[in-house]
Amino acid sequence: MPLFNKNIDPRCAYCEHGVPLPRHNEVGCAQHGVVDPSYHCRHFRYDPIKRVPPKPVKLRRDYDDADFQIY
């Protein structure tokens, strides 16, 4: 299993050339200036350190004996 998925949506939010800006959720791009985080261009280079993975699904912890019976 590869460490990183090859089919990643290109976005400036996790591009090697982008720098997150604190104001208005924007990205400072070395190629195009201030852009939206969802923007991308032909200079996109994936930086895995900048990508925030989705939060894991919260597992249910309130089991009872009926959940573990075989019928």
Side-chain angles (χ1 to χ4, degrees):
M1 181 173 175
L3 185 59
F4 301 111
N5 186 357
K6 299 279 185 192
N7 301 322
I8 294 175
D9 272 349
R11 291 178 175 248
C12 287
Y14 41 84
C15 176
E16 185 178 277
H17 303 291
V19 178
L21 299 175
R23 63 181 189 122
H24 304 294
N25 194 22
E26 295 175 334
V27 175
C29 177
Q31 305 291 328
H32 296 282
V34 179
V35 294
D36 189 62
S38 62
Y39 179 76
H40 71 279
C41 67
R42 64 186 178 103
H43 300 287
F44 175 77
R45 300 220 26 162
Y46 178 61
D47 185 359
I49 303 295
K50 292 182 181 178
R51 182 146 186 206
V52 179
K55 292 185 178 186
V57 176
K58 189 173 182 177
L59 299 177
R60 191 178 119 195
R61 298 285 183 196
D62 56 341
Y63 297 110
D64 57 3
D65 291 335
D67 291 330
F68 297 99
Q69 290 188 2
I70 300 174
Y71 297 101

